[in-house]
Each structure stands twice: as structure tokens, then as C-alpha cells.
């Protein structure tokens, strides 16, 4: 498939900053209680397409690393934040991440999956990397912020990206940021689908 040239151009920081700022404004469910996992995963699994992302506490010292603190999954109607500081990477969550029938889409998903596998092993299936898709279509932009600007015509904030995701209670800003990344990933996938790129 040949993309129109307008989608192949590279966006400058200045061009992105001129676009309107958007964030996810729908319902968000923060899952931090283990007993709710089976019911919530059953709810999420009804969707055939999920926006996917993870957040990990940033590292400022060489040789140090942290496990992912959060898994974000966006359906058409809600974004679910699985707070791994409070809940385990359970059998139900791993079953969802291993389902070939449920598409989980985001940017740099291979890295996210690799980090999750270090917490507890599972067979990752059904993942679609938007960055890889953009590269295969010869797009100059393949990061989430750039793809949102290019395909959706708005910018997303990266203001709290490097905040402490390891904290016990996430701030409202962290919750909105995390939900926005998963929501935007799903919207970009749908845009590619609409353009006939999938």
C-alpha cells in the first residue's frame, strides 16, 4: 500500500507544538485489588482491539532497573490501568497478553513485553507495533507523539513521562497521561485501518 505523501513527512517539534493538545477524557478504571482481576480481565477480553502501553519507574543510575509499574489497556469505551505495584501479573492477565484473538497495539511493544516477561513468563501473541507499521509504510515519524500529530492532527503531552511510576498512589496527572497513551495507540491503529494500511 502507498501512503499519501502528506503522511510521510517528518514533523518538527515546533510543528507538533502548534497543534491542539488533547488527552483522554473517557472513563478510567484503576485496578489495584487482586480479587477484581478475573472480572476486569473478562470485561477487557470482550474487546478485539486494545490500545496497549506500560509505564516503568525511570532509572537515573547505570545498572539499575525496575519492573513495569503499570499496564494500560484501552477499549472503545474505557481505559484500564493495571497497577502492578499492587497486583500480580496474574494468570488471567497473562492469558489476555497471550491471546492471538485480541489485538494489542502500541509503540515499541517488544520492549514492553520483554520487561513484563521478566516479571512472569508468558507467550506474547496478538501484538502489533505501530512504529514498525509506520516504518514499513516509509513514514518518517514512528513515535507515539509524532504519529498522533501526523495521523490524528493533535499533540499529546509527555510532561509526566519520567515521573515516579513506582509510587503507591498515582497522581491524577499520571493516571490521565497513562490512559491517553493507550487510547491514542488504539486511535492510531484505527486510522491505519481506515487508510487501508492493515
Amino acid at each position: 500500500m502507498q501512503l499519501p505523501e502528506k503522511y510521510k513527512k517528518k514533523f518538527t517539534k515546533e510543528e507538533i507544538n502548534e497543534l491542539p493538545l488533547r488527552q483522554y477524557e473517557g472513563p478510567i478504571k484503576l485496578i489495584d485489588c487482586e480479587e477484581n482481576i478475573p472480572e476486569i480481565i473478562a470485561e477487557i477480553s470482550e474487546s478485539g482491539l486494545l490500545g496497549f502501553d506500560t509505564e516503568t519507574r525511570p532509572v537515573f543510575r547505570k545498572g539499575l532497573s525496575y519492573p513495569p509499574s503499570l499496564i494500560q489497556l484501552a477499549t472503545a469505551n474505557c481505559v484500564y490501568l493495571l497497577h502492578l505495584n499492587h497486583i500480580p501479573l496474574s494468570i488471567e492477565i497473562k492469558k489476555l497478553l497471550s491471546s492471538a484473538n485480541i489485538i494489542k497495539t502500541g509503540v515499541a511493544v517488544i520492549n514492553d513485553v520483554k520487561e513484563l516477561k521478566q516479571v512472569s513468563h508468558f507467550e506474547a501473541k496478538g501484538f502489533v507495533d505501530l512504529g514498525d507499521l509506520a516504518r514499513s509504510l516509509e513514514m518518517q515519524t514512528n513515535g507515539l507523539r509524532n504519529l498522533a500529530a501526523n495521523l490524528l492532527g493533535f499533540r499529546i503531552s509527555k510532561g509526566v513521562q519520567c515521573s515516579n511510576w513506582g509510587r503507591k498512589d498515582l497522581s491524577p496527572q499520571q493516571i490521565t497521561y497513562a490512559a491517553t497513551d493507550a487510547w491514542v495507540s488504539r486511535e492510531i491503529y484505527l486510522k491505519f485501518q481506515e487508510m487501508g494500511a492493515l
Side-chain angles (χ1 to χ4, degrees), residues 50-122:
L50 300 171
F52 168 84
D53 194 20
T54 67
E55 299 299 340
T56 301
R57 183 177 172 181
V59 175
F60 301 108
R61 278 170 57 199
K62 200 174 177 182
L64 198 63
S65 67
Y66 296 104
S69 298
L70 204 63
I71 299 174
Q72 302 104 276
L73 297 165
T75 67
N77 307 310
C78 185
V79 177
Y80 299 82
L81 306 181
L82 308 179
H83 199 185
L84 299 179
N85 294 335
H86 293 273
I87 62 171
L89 193 56
S90 69
I91 290 165
E92 295 89 352
I93 296 170
K94 291 194 287 185
K95 193 175 169 188
L96 173 68
L97 298 175
S98 302
S99 173
N101 299 322
I102 300 171
I103 293 168
K104 295 156 289 276
T105 189
V107 168
V109 293
I110 290 169
N111 296 338
D112 292 340
V113 166
K114 187 178 161 191
E115 288 178 359
L116 287 170
K117 280 183 175 180
Q118 286 169 356
V119 175
S120 183
H121 186 74
F122 60 92

